[in-house]
Amino acid sequence: MVRPSAQLRATIQRTTPPLLVLLAVVVILLGKADQTMFDSLRTMLSDDAAPALDILSRPIGAATSVVDRVRGVFAMYSDNRRLEEENVRLLQWQQVALKLSSDNRELRGLLKVVPDQAVSYETARVIADSGGGYVRSIMVNAGAEGGLARGQAAITGDGLVGRLTEVGSRASRVLLITDLNSRIPVSIEGSHVSAVLAGDNSERPHLLYTTEPDQVKIGDRIVTSGDGGVFPPGLPVGVVSAVEPGGARVEPYVELSQLGYLLIVDYGLSSGLPQPAPVVDCHPRHGKPERATPADEAGVR
C-alpha cells in the first residue's frame, strides 16, 4: 500500500476545509435559487430510505415494547405486594373497629340501665366463657377489690344474666340462668303466677313448681318474684316461648352466647347467702404443716 507523501497530506488538509465551506455555500445558494428541486430531492431520498429505516426500527420498537412490559410486570408485582400489605392492615383495623363498635354499643346499652333499689353496681367485662355440655358460666374481670360479693346479680340492659358464685380479688365467676344448678324464683307479670326458673344447660330454661300451670301462655313475660331474698322483684328474665307437659320453656331476653359487658349489681341481699367454708391448706409451709381450726377438722371428718 502506497502511502501519500507528507506534502500531499498537508495539501489535502489545507484544501479540504475551504472546499467543504464552498460546497455548503453552493448548496445554500442553490436551495435559495430552486427550492422546489431540493424539496423533490429530499422527498426522493426519504422515500428511498424509508423501507430500510422501517426495517431497522422494528427490532428497536420490539425491544422497547419488551422493556416496557418487563417494567410493567415489576411495577404490577410491587403494587400487588403493597396492596396486599395495605389489605392486611385494613383487615386488622376493620376487626378493631368492629370490636370497638360492639363494645360501644354494649356500653351505651348499660348506660341506659339504672338498677332500682341497688346499693352499688360495677361494670365488668367478660373475659372467659366456660360454656360446654355440663357448665353454663362465665368469668368477668372484677372481684372483691371492686366491691363484688357472692350472690350479687349480673344484668345487662335487656335483663337478668345470672349471679356471682365465685369471687376472687380481681376476677369472678357468674352462674348463668341456663345452668343446671340455677334456680330462680320468678313470677308471670300480670297474673302473678309464681314459679321457679330452672336451668338444664339448654338455651331455654323451664318453669318448675308453677302454682297455676293452666294460666301460663306463650308470650307471657317472666320477671323475678323476689322470693328467697336473692334477687329483688321485677328484674326482667325472659318470655314464655313454649308450653310443654314438663313445664313451660322460657326464652331469655339476654343473648347469653354473645355477652361482652355486664353490670354486677349489689342489691344488699347477698349477705343472707351462706359463705363458703375456709380452705384448709394441707401442704406444709417452711417445713411446718398448717394448723386447721376445730370447725375445719370437723369438716374434714
Side-chain angles (χ1 to χ4, degrees), residues 130 135 137-144 148-152 163-175 181 264 273 275-276:
S130 301
V135 179
S137 65
I138 56 175
M139 185 174 293
V140 296
N141 65 340
L148 273 61
R150 291 181 66 251
Q152 292 179 353
R163 61 182 176 88
L164 296 184
T165 55
E166 299 176 10
V167 179
S169 58
R170 293 184 297 273
S172 304
R173 187 174 298 277
V174 178
L175 185 73
N181 298 310
I264 309 300
L273 293 176
Q275 299 299 318

PDB file of all heavy atoms in Angstrom, residues 130 135 137-144 148-152 163-175 181 264 273 275-276:
ATOM      1  N   SER A 130     -67.039 -20.396  80.038  1.00  0.00           N
ATOM      2  CA  SER A 130     -66.889 -21.808  80.382  1.00  0.00           C
ATOM      3  C   SER A 130     -68.014 -22.649  79.812  1.00  0.00           C
ATOM      4  O   SER A 130     -68.322 -23.713  80.329  1.00  0.00           O
ATOM      5  CB  SER A 130     -66.837 -21.978  81.903  1.00  0.00           C
ATOM      6  OG  SER A 130     -65.769 -21.244  82.459  1.00  0.00           O
ATOM      7  N   VAL A 135     -71.564 -27.147  81.880  1.00  0.00           N
ATOM      8  CA  VAL A 135     -71.412 -25.916  82.654  1.00  0.00           C
ATOM      9  C   VAL A 135     -71.898 -24.750  81.811  1.00  0.00           C
ATOM     10  O   VAL A 135     -71.621 -24.677  80.616  1.00  0.00           O
ATOM     11  CB  VAL A 135     -69.941 -25.691  83.068  1.00  0.00           C
ATOM     12  CG1 VAL A 135     -69.802 -24.388  83.855  1.00  0.00           C
ATOM     13  CG2 VAL A 135     -69.433 -26.859  83.908  1.00  0.00           C
ATOM     14  N   SER A 137     -71.407 -20.990  82.619  1.00  0.00           N
ATOM     15  CA  SER A 137     -70.905 -19.909  83.456  1.00  0.00           C
ATOM     16  C   SER A 137     -69.887 -19.108  82.666  1.00  0.00           C
ATOM     17  O   SER A 137     -69.342 -19.578  81.672  1.00  0.00           O
ATOM     18  CB  SER A 137     -70.271 -20.441  84.746  1.00  0.00           C
ATOM     19  OG  SER A 137     -69.109 -21.209  84.449  1.00  0.00           O
ATOM     20  N   ILE A 138     -69.638 -17.884  83.134  1.00  0.00           N
ATOM     21  CA  ILE A 138     -68.660 -17.005  82.503  1.00  0.00           C
ATOM     22  C   ILE A 138     -67.812 -16.372  83.594  1.00  0.00           C
ATOM     23  O   ILE A 138     -68.172 -16.393  84.777  1.00  0.00           O
ATOM     24  CB  ILE A 138     -69.354 -15.896  81.671  1.00  0.00           C
ATOM     25  CG1 ILE A 138     -70.331 -15.100  82.550  1.00  0.00           C
ATOM     26  CG2 ILE A 138     -70.056 -16.480  80.465  1.00  0.00           C
ATOM     27  CD1 ILE A 138     -70.967 -13.932  81.845  1.00  0.00           C
ATOM     28  N   MET A 139     -66.678 -15.818  83.181  1.00  0.00           N
ATOM     29  CA  MET A 139     -65.783 -15.146  84.114  1.00  0.00           C
ATOM     30  C   MET A 139     -65.665 -13.689  83.710  1.00  0.00           C
ATOM     31  O   MET A 139     -65.571 -13.369  82.517  1.00  0.00           O
ATOM     32  CB  MET A 139     -64.404 -15.810  84.121  1.00  0.00           C
ATOM     33  CG  MET A 139     -63.450 -15.242  85.161  1.00  0.00           C
ATOM     34  SD  MET A 139     -61.902 -16.175  85.252  1.00  0.00           S
ATOM     35  CE  MET A 139     -62.536 -17.736  85.906  1.00  0.00           C
ATOM     36  N   VAL A 140     -65.683 -12.794  84.696  1.00  0.00           N
ATOM     37  CA  VAL A 140     -65.582 -11.359  84.456  1.00  0.00           C
ATOM     38  C   VAL A 140     -64.336 -10.816  85.141  1.00  0.00           C
ATOM     39  O   VAL A 140     -63.813 -11.412  86.087  1.00  0.00           O
ATOM     40  CB  VAL A 140     -66.837 -10.613  84.956  1.00  0.00           C
ATOM     41  CG1 VAL A 140     -68.066 -11.058  84.171  1.00  0.00           C
ATOM     42  CG2 VAL A 140     -67.057 -10.835  86.442  1.00  0.00           C
ATOM     43  N   ASN A 141     -63.868  -9.661  84.676  1.00  0.00           N
ATOM     44  CA  ASN A 141     -62.617  -9.092  85.174  1.00  0.00           C
ATOM     45  C   ASN A 141     -62.840  -8.113  86.330  1.00  0.00           C
ATOM     46  O   ASN A 141     -62.328  -7.000  86.344  1.00  0.00           O
ATOM     47  CB  ASN A 141     -61.881  -8.380  84.043  1.00  0.00           C
ATOM     48  CG  ASN A 141     -62.658  -7.171  83.522  1.00  0.00           C
ATOM     49  OD1 ASN A 141     -63.871  -7.072  83.722  1.00  0.00           O
ATOM     50  ND2 ASN A 141     -61.975  -6.271  82.858  1.00  0.00           N
ATOM     51  N   ALA A 142     -63.607  -8.519  87.296  1.00  0.00           N
ATOM     52  CA  ALA A 142     -63.826  -7.717  88.505  1.00  0.00           C
ATOM     53  C   ALA A 142     -64.014  -8.674  89.669  1.00  0.00           C
ATOM     54  O   ALA A 142     -64.524  -9.785  89.495  1.00  0.00           O
ATOM     55  CB  ALA A 142     -65.043  -6.801  88.345  1.00  0.00           C
ATOM     56  N   GLY A 143     -63.588  -8.229  90.859  1.00  0.00           N
ATOM     57  CA  GLY A 143     -63.670  -9.104  92.016  1.00  0.00           C
ATOM     58  C   GLY A 143     -63.875  -8.332  93.299  1.00  0.00           C
ATOM     59  O   GLY A 143     -64.482  -7.247  93.307  1.00  0.00           O
ATOM     60  N   ALA A 144     -63.360  -8.891  94.360  1.00  0.00           N
ATOM     61  CA  ALA A 144     -63.559  -8.291  95.678  1.00  0.00           C
ATOM     62  C   ALA A 144     -62.941  -6.903  95.774  1.00  0.00           C
ATOM     63  O   ALA A 144     -63.420  -6.060  96.539  1.00  0.00           O
ATOM     64  CB  ALA A 144     -62.975  -9.213  96.755  1.00  0.00           C
ATOM     65  N   LEU A 148     -67.261  -6.586  94.783  1.00  0.00           N
ATOM     66  CA  LEU A 148     -68.140  -7.677  94.397  1.00  0.00           C
ATOM     67  C   LEU A 148     -68.182  -8.742  95.490  1.00  0.00           C
ATOM     68  O   LEU A 148     -67.217  -8.919  96.236  1.00  0.00           O
ATOM     69  CB  LEU A 148     -67.678  -8.314  93.083  1.00  0.00           C
ATOM     70  CG  LEU A 148     -68.191  -7.665  91.782  1.00  0.00           C
ATOM     71  CD1 LEU A 148     -67.738  -6.223  91.676  1.00  0.00           C
ATOM     72  CD2 LEU A 148     -67.690  -8.453  90.571  1.00  0.00           C
ATOM     73  N   ALA A 149     -69.316  -9.432  95.572  1.00  0.00           N
ATOM     74  CA  ALA A 149     -69.504 -10.492  96.561  1.00  0.00           C
ATOM     75  C   ALA A 149     -70.424 -11.552  95.983  1.00  0.00           C
ATOM     76  O   ALA A 149     -71.157 -11.309  95.013  1.00  0.00           O
ATOM     77  CB  ALA A 149     -70.082  -9.928  97.857  1.00  0.00           C
ATOM     78  N   ARG A 150     -70.363 -12.750  96.580  1.00  0.00           N
ATOM     79  CA  ARG A 150     -71.215 -13.847  96.123  1.00  0.00           C
ATOM     80  C   ARG A 150     -72.686 -13.480  96.240  1.00  0.00           C
ATOM     81  O   ARG A 150     -73.105 -12.836  97.194  1.00  0.00           O
ATOM     82  CB  ARG A 150     -70.953 -15.105  96.942  1.00  0.00           C
ATOM     83  CG  ARG A 150     -69.595 -15.742  96.714  1.00  0.00           C
ATOM     84  CD  ARG A 150     -69.434 -17.002  97.555  1.00  0.00           C
ATOM     85  NE  ARG A 150     -70.355 -18.061  97.143  1.00  0.00           N
ATOM     86  CZ  ARG A 150     -71.397 -18.459  97.862  1.00  0.00           C
ATOM     87  NH1 ARG A 150     -71.674 -17.885  99.024  1.00  0.00           N
ATOM     88  NH2 ARG A 150     -72.172 -19.449  97.429  1.00  0.00           N
ATOM     89  N   GLY A 151     -73.444 -13.933  95.228  1.00  0.00           N
ATOM     90  CA  GLY A 151     -74.879 -13.706  95.242  1.00  0.00           C
ATOM     91  C   GLY A 151     -75.330 -12.454  94.539  1.00  0.00           C
ATOM     92  O   GLY A 151     -76.538 -12.289  94.308  1.00  0.00           O
ATOM     93  N   GLN A 152     -74.413 -11.542  94.206  1.00  0.00           N
ATOM     94  CA  GLN A 152     -74.820 -10.323  93.514  1.00  0.00           C
ATOM     95  C   GLN A 152     -75.304 -10.656  92.110  1.00  0.00           C
ATOM     96  O   GLN A 152     -74.860 -11.610  91.476  1.00  0.00           O
ATOM     97  CB  GLN A 152     -73.658  -9.334  93.460  1.00  0.00           C
ATOM     98  CG  GLN A 152     -73.294  -8.774  94.833  1.00  0.00           C
ATOM     99  CD  GLN A 152     -72.125  -7.815  94.775  1.00  0.00           C
ATOM    100  OE1 GLN A 152     -71.487  -7.657  93.744  1.00  0.00           O
ATOM    101  NE2 GLN A 152     -71.833  -7.183  95.905  1.00  0.00           N
ATOM    102  N   ARG A 163     -75.965 -14.863  88.517  1.00  0.00           N
ATOM    103  CA  ARG A 163     -75.471 -14.344  89.794  1.00  0.00           C
ATOM    104  C   ARG A 163     -74.043 -14.826  90.015  1.00  0.00           C
ATOM    105  O   ARG A 163     -73.598 -15.817  89.431  1.00  0.00           O
ATOM    106  CB  ARG A 163     -76.358 -14.810  90.948  1.00  0.00           C
ATOM    107  CG  ARG A 163     -76.426 -16.320  91.117  1.00  0.00           C
ATOM    108  CD  ARG A 163     -77.367 -16.697  92.245  1.00  0.00           C
ATOM    109  NE  ARG A 163     -77.512 -18.157  92.373  1.00  0.00           N
ATOM    110  CZ  ARG A 163     -76.717 -18.925  93.106  1.00  0.00           C
ATOM    111  NH1 ARG A 163     -75.698 -18.370  93.766  1.00  0.00           N
ATOM    112  NH2 ARG A 163     -76.898 -20.223  93.180  1.00  0.00           N
ATOM    113  N   LEU A 164     -73.336 -14.085  90.879  1.00  0.00           N
ATOM    114  CA  LEU A 164     -71.960 -14.439  91.186  1.00  0.00           C
ATOM    115  C   LEU A 164     -71.921 -15.642  92.122  1.00  0.00           C
ATOM    116  O   LEU A 164     -72.619 -15.668  93.140  1.00  0.00           O
ATOM    117  CB  LEU A 164     -71.237 -13.257  91.846  1.00  0.00           C
ATOM    118  CG  LEU A 164     -71.054 -11.990  91.010  1.00  0.00           C
ATOM    119  CD1 LEU A 164     -70.233 -10.971  91.782  1.00  0.00           C
ATOM    120  CD2 LEU A 164     -70.406 -12.291  89.683  1.00  0.00           C
ATOM    121  N   THR A 165     -71.098 -16.613  91.779  1.00  0.00           N
ATOM    122  CA  THR A 165     -70.942 -17.793  92.634  1.00  0.00           C
ATOM    123  C   THR A 165     -69.524 -17.909  93.193  1.00  0.00           C
ATOM    124  O   THR A 165     -69.337 -18.500  94.247  1.00  0.00           O
ATOM    125  CB  THR A 165     -71.270 -19.069  91.843  1.00  0.00           C
ATOM    126  OG1 THR A 165     -70.458 -19.115  90.656  1.00  0.00           O
ATOM    127  CG2 THR A 165     -72.727 -19.088  91.441  1.00  0.00           C
ATOM    128  N   GLU A 166     -68.538 -17.386  92.492  1.00  0.00           N
ATOM    129  CA  GLU A 166     -67.156 -17.413  92.962  1.00  0.00           C
ATOM    130  C   GLU A 166     -66.559 -16.034  92.757  1.00  0.00           C
ATOM    131  O   GLU A 166     -66.658 -15.473  91.668  1.00  0.00           O
ATOM    132  CB  GLU A 166     -66.324 -18.455  92.191  1.00  0.00           C
ATOM    133  CG  GLU A 166     -66.821 -19.877  92.334  1.00  0.00           C
ATOM    134  CD  GLU A 166     -66.017 -20.841  91.479  1.00  0.00           C
ATOM    135  OE1 GLU A 166     -64.960 -20.421  90.941  1.00  0.00           O
ATOM    136  OE2 GLU A 166     -66.435 -22.004  91.349  1.00  0.00           O
ATOM    137  N   VAL A 167     -65.961 -15.493  93.804  1.00  0.00           N
ATOM    138  CA  VAL A 167     -65.410 -14.139  93.756  1.00  0.00           C
ATOM    139  C   VAL A 167     -63.963 -14.179  94.211  1.00  0.00           C
ATOM    140  O   VAL A 167     -63.676 -14.581  95.346  1.00  0.00           O
ATOM    141  CB  VAL A 167     -66.225 -13.156  94.623  1.00  0.00           C
ATOM    142  CG1 VAL A 167     -65.602 -11.765  94.571  1.00  0.00           C
ATOM    143  CG2 VAL A 167     -67.670 -13.104  94.163  1.00  0.00           C
ATOM    144  N   GLY A 168     -63.055 -13.787  93.327  1.00  0.00           N
ATOM    145  CA  GLY A 168     -61.659 -13.622  93.690  1.00  0.00           C
ATOM    146  C   GLY A 168     -61.337 -12.163  93.899  1.00  0.00           C
ATOM    147  O   GLY A 168     -62.221 -11.305  93.937  1.00  0.00           O
ATOM    148  N   SER A 169     -60.066 -11.865  94.033  1.00  0.00           N
ATOM    149  CA  SER A 169     -59.691 -10.473  94.261  1.00  0.00           C
ATOM    150  C   SER A 169     -59.863  -9.628  93.002  1.00  0.00           C
ATOM    151  O   SER A 169     -60.255  -8.461  93.083  1.00  0.00           O
ATOM    152  CB  SER A 169     -58.239 -10.390  94.737  1.00  0.00           C
ATOM    153  OG  SER A 169     -57.376 -10.992  93.777  1.00  0.00           O
ATOM    154  N   ARG A 170     -59.589 -10.207  91.816  1.00  0.00           N
ATOM    155  CA  ARG A 170     -59.682  -9.439  90.574  1.00  0.00           C
ATOM    156  C   ARG A 170     -60.536 -10.113  89.503  1.00  0.00           C
ATOM    157  O   ARG A 170     -60.646  -9.597  88.399  1.00  0.00           O
ATOM    158  CB  ARG A 170     -58.277  -9.186  90.004  1.00  0.00           C
ATOM    159  CG  ARG A 170     -57.423  -8.282  90.862  1.00  0.00           C
ATOM    160  CD  ARG A 170     -56.090  -7.994  90.195  1.00  0.00           C
ATOM    161  NE  ARG A 170     -55.300  -9.204  90.029  1.00  0.00           N
ATOM    162  CZ  ARG A 170     -54.479  -9.685  90.968  1.00  0.00           C
ATOM    163  NH1 ARG A 170     -54.361  -9.051  92.124  1.00  0.00           N
ATOM    164  NH2 ARG A 170     -53.786 -10.785  90.754  1.00  0.00           N
ATOM    165  N   ALA A 171     -61.117 -11.245  89.785  1.00  0.00           N
ATOM    166  CA  ALA A 171     -61.967 -11.946  88.815  1.00  0.00           C
ATOM    167  C   ALA A 171     -63.067 -12.682  89.562  1.00  0.00           C
ATOM    168  O   ALA A 171     -62.900 -13.060  90.725  1.00  0.00           O
ATOM    169  CB  ALA A 171     -61.148 -12.919  87.964  1.00  0.00           C
ATOM    170  N   SER A 172     -64.171 -12.876  88.857  1.00  0.00           N
ATOM    171  CA  SER A 172     -65.317 -13.559  89.462  1.00  0.00           C
ATOM    172  C   SER A 172     -65.986 -14.429  88.414  1.00  0.00           C
ATOM    173  O   SER A 172     -65.842 -14.211  87.210  1.00  0.00           O
ATOM    174  CB  SER A 172     -66.326 -12.548  90.021  1.00  0.00           C
ATOM    175  OG  SER A 172     -65.719 -11.677  90.948  1.00  0.00           O
ATOM    176  N   ARG A 173     -66.751 -15.424  88.914  1.00  0.00           N
ATOM    177  CA  ARG A 173     -67.480 -16.327  88.034  1.00  0.00           C
ATOM    178  C   ARG A 173     -68.974 -16.094  88.198  1.00  0.00           C
ATOM    179  O   ARG A 173     -69.477 -15.989  89.312  1.00  0.00           O
ATOM    180  CB  ARG A 173     -67.125 -17.777  88.326  1.00  0.00           C
ATOM    181  CG  ARG A 173     -67.720 -18.767  87.333  1.00  0.00           C
ATOM    182  CD  ARG A 173     -67.214 -20.173  87.589  1.00  0.00           C
ATOM    183  NE  ARG A 173     -65.771 -20.236  87.423  1.00  0.00           N
ATOM    184  CZ  ARG A 173     -65.169 -20.370  86.245  1.00  0.00           C
ATOM    185  NH1 ARG A 173     -65.898 -20.435  85.135  1.00  0.00           N
ATOM    186  NH2 ARG A 173     -63.860 -20.432  86.170  1.00  0.00           N
ATOM    187  N   VAL A 174     -69.662 -16.019  87.069  1.00  0.00           N
ATOM    188  CA  VAL A 174     -71.099 -15.778  87.034  1.00  0.00           C
ATOM    189  C   VAL A 174     -71.788 -17.055  86.591  1.00  0.00           C
ATOM    190  O   VAL A 174     -71.484 -17.595  85.518  1.00  0.00           O
ATOM    191  CB  VAL A 174     -71.450 -14.625  86.078  1.00  0.00           C
ATOM    192  CG1 VAL A 174     -72.962 -14.427  86.015  1.00  0.00           C
ATOM    193  CG2 VAL A 174     -70.760 -13.341  86.501  1.00  0.00           C
ATOM    194  N   LEU A 175     -72.718 -17.544  87.397  1.00  0.00           N
ATOM    195  CA  LEU A 175     -73.540 -18.693  87.040  1.00  0.00           C
ATOM    196  C   LEU A 175     -74.728 -18.195  86.231  1.00  0.00           C
ATOM    197  O   LEU A 175     -75.536 -17.394  86.714  1.00  0.00           O
ATOM    198  CB  LEU A 175     -74.018 -19.418  88.294  1.00  0.00           C
ATOM    199  CG  LEU A 175     -74.800 -20.723  88.069  1.00  0.00           C
ATOM    200  CD1 LEU A 175     -73.849 -21.825  87.625  1.00  0.00           C
ATOM    201  CD2 LEU A 175     -75.525 -21.129  89.349  1.00  0.00           C
ATOM    202  N   ASN A 181     -77.511 -25.871  87.673  1.00  0.00           N
ATOM    203  CA  ASN A 181     -77.612 -25.583  89.100  1.00  0.00           C
ATOM    204  C   ASN A 181     -78.350 -24.288  89.411  1.00  0.00           C
ATOM    205  O   ASN A 181     -78.434 -23.899  90.572  1.00  0.00           O
ATOM    206  CB  ASN A 181     -76.204 -25.497  89.709  1.00  0.00           C
ATOM    207  CG  ASN A 181     -75.445 -26.798  89.582  1.00  0.00           C
ATOM    208  OD1 ASN A 181     -75.962 -27.853  89.940  1.00  0.00           O
ATOM    209  ND2 ASN A 181     -74.234 -26.742  89.055  1.00  0.00           N
ATOM    210  N   ILE A 264     -72.669  -5.718  87.451  1.00  0.00           N
ATOM    211  CA  ILE A 264     -72.752  -6.541  88.655  1.00  0.00           C
ATOM    212  C   ILE A 264     -73.373  -5.665  89.729  1.00  0.00           C
ATOM    213  O   ILE A 264     -72.761  -4.693  90.188  1.00  0.00           O
ATOM    214  CB  ILE A 264     -71.367  -7.051  89.090  1.00  0.00           C
ATOM    215  CG1 ILE A 264     -70.663  -7.712  87.887  1.00  0.00           C
ATOM    216  CG2 ILE A 264     -71.508  -8.016  90.238  1.00  0.00           C
ATOM    217  CD1 ILE A 264     -71.392  -8.890  87.309  1.00  0.00           C
ATOM    218  N   LEU A 273     -76.778 -15.039 102.078  1.00  0.00           N
ATOM    219  CA  LEU A 273     -76.360 -16.310 101.497  1.00  0.00           C
ATOM    220  C   LEU A 273     -75.289 -16.962 102.358  1.00  0.00           C
ATOM    221  O   LEU A 273     -74.477 -16.273 102.985  1.00  0.00           O
ATOM    222  CB  LEU A 273     -75.786 -16.079 100.092  1.00  0.00           C
ATOM    223  CG  LEU A 273     -76.781 -15.595  99.035  1.00  0.00           C
ATOM    224  CD1 LEU A 273     -76.038 -15.314  97.739  1.00  0.00           C
ATOM    225  CD2 LEU A 273     -77.869 -16.617  98.816  1.00  0.00           C
ATOM    226  N   GLN A 275     -71.831 -18.435 103.331  1.00  0.00           N
ATOM    227  CA  GLN A 275     -70.499 -18.204 102.823  1.00  0.00           C
ATOM    228  C   GLN A 275     -69.753 -19.529 102.692  1.00  0.00           C
ATOM    229  O   GLN A 275     -70.000 -20.469 103.443  1.00  0.00           O
ATOM    230  CB  GLN A 275     -69.725 -17.261 103.762  1.00  0.00           C
ATOM    231  CG  GLN A 275     -70.367 -15.889 103.895  1.00  0.00           C
ATOM    232  CD  GLN A 275     -70.449 -15.164 102.574  1.00  0.00           C
ATOM    233  OE1 GLN A 275     -69.497 -15.197 101.783  1.00  0.00           O
ATOM    234  NE2 GLN A 275     -71.579 -14.524 102.307  1.00  0.00           N
ATOM    235  N   PRO A 276     -68.839 -19.626 101.727  1.00  0.00           N
ATOM    236  CA  PRO A 276     -68.096 -20.874 101.546  1.00  0.00           C
ATOM    237  C   PRO A 276     -67.180 -21.146 102.724  1.00  0.00           C
ATOM    238  O   PRO A 276     -66.682 -20.227 103.375  1.00  0.00           O
ATOM    239  CB  PRO A 276     -67.297 -20.620 100.262  1.00  0.00           C
ATOM    240  CG  PRO A 276     -67.160 -19.130 100.189  1.00  0.00           C
ATOM    241  CD  PRO A 276     -68.438 -18.586 100.774  1.00  0.00           C
TER     242      PRO A 276
END
